[in-house]
Amino acid sequence: EVQLVETGGGLIQPGGSLRLSCAASGFTVSSNYMSWVRQAPGKGLEWVSVIYSGGSTYYADSVKGRFTISRDNSKNTLYLQMNSLRAEDTAVYYCAREGRAVTKDGYYYYYMDVWGKGTTVTVSS
Amino acid sequence: SSELTQDPAVSVALGQTVRITCQGDSLRSYYASWYQQKPGQAPVLVIYGKNNRPSGIPDRFSGSSSGNTASLTITGAQAEDEADYYCNSRDSSGDVVFGGGTKLTVL
């Protein structure tokens, strides 16, 4: 069964660090684009970061310089290292597998077809 | 990064048809994908690409695109379709973007 399971969330003080993990089963993390998406309480989805199969990484401006996405191929696991945490980082963090394709008329499309259930990060003193 | 704009809320009578829209410049280059999210649950992909449905998604869900606007149509809305719906795409810099979400109420 294709599955993602996030762990590592919790209560952390402002300025602190936390590492989230996302264990995959049923597919290979390193062969796919993998994203972290978060959702603050009562708010919409916000993309956080993506790592491509080739290893390139991209970040939302709101977390650039503070968060680092990585993966461990031997453990088939995705990570998000979060440093200098702020109250506004409080959210449920989801990891997701991202598929991609191109149509015959040249349109690219991307889609997150597998999501974990999320892990909650609360930044508060 | 570019933005994707959605109406905050839409309502539909049970069994009727509803269209949820998503506007943004990036949609001229990329097809949108659509996600359904019910309270306390993770998002679920419902439409991707030109008009593709993942396995298990009812065929009352369909997608279309024109210019800078993508649409998700539910034909014959059911009570279980009441949820938040998000569109998603990429922008020219490679960043992933989500719309603000549309809360669908089935009356």
Side-chain angles (χ1 to χ4, degrees), chain A residues 15-80:
Chain A
S17 297
L18 209 56
R19 188 178 81 158
L20 305 183
S21 300
C22 170
S25 56
F27 71 97
T28 303
V29 164
S30 61
S31 298
N32 287 272
Y33 289 11
M34 298 294 298
S35 272
W36 286 97
V37 176
R38 69 184 180 184
Q39 187 169 37
K43 302 296 185 181
L45 301 175
E46 179 190 15
W47 171 72
V48 172
S49 181
V50 64
I51 183 167
Y52 288 179
S53 50
S56 298
T57 59
Y58 297 88
Y59 300 90
D61 289 342
S62 58
V63 306
K64 203 170 292 183
R66 300 188 298 124
F67 290 11
T68 302
I69 190 171
S70 64
R71 66 191 181 206
D72 184 328
N73 297 344
S74 67
K75 295 182 179 179
N76 206 30
T77 298
L78 177 74
Y79 300 101
L80 185 67

Side-chain angles (χ1 to χ4, degrees), chain A residues 71-104:
Chain A
R71 66 191 181 206
D72 184 328
N73 297 344
S74 67
K75 295 182 179 179
N76 206 30
T77 298
L78 177 74
Y79 300 101
L80 185 67
Q81 177 66 44
M82 305 186 296
N83 298 331
S84 303
L85 283 161
R86 307 166 180 168
E88 54 265 35
D89 296 318
T90 294
V92 175
Y93 285 73
Y94 299 100
C95 62
R97 182 179 76 175
E98 189 173 28
R100 63 208 181 276
V102 59
T103 64
K104 294 176 185 177

Side-chain angles (χ1 to χ4, degrees), chain B residues 30-105:
Chain B
Y30 299 96
Y31 283 116
S33 53
W34 290 93
Y35 305 86
Q36 176 192 71
Q37 187 182 35
K38 297 181 179 179
Q41 298 183 18
V44 173
L45 178 69
V46 294
I47 290 290
Y48 65 100
K50 194 168 187 177
N51 183 19
N52 302 308
R53 281 178 289 106
S55 174
I57 301 301
D59 61 5
R60 63 179 178 271
F61 289 87
S62 64
S64 61
S65 183
S66 178
N68 72 336
T69 301
S71 300
L72 172 70
T73 300
I74 307 174
T75 304
Q78 302 299 303
E80 61 264 33
D81 299 335
E82 186 163 291
D84 294 327
Y85 290 85
Y86 296 90
C87 61
N88 158 244
S89 178
R90 292 295 190 95
D91 65 19
S92 57
S93 64
D95 286 352
V96 179
V97 289
F98 281 95
T102 297
K103 182 177 181 61
L104 175 66
T105 300

Side-chain angles (χ1 to χ4, degrees), chain A residues 10-16 85-91 121-125:
Chain A
L11 175 63
I12 187 77
Q13 291 189 339
L85 283 161
R86 307 166 180 168
E88 54 265 35
D89 296 318
T90 294
V121 173
T122 303
V123 183
S124 175
S125 56

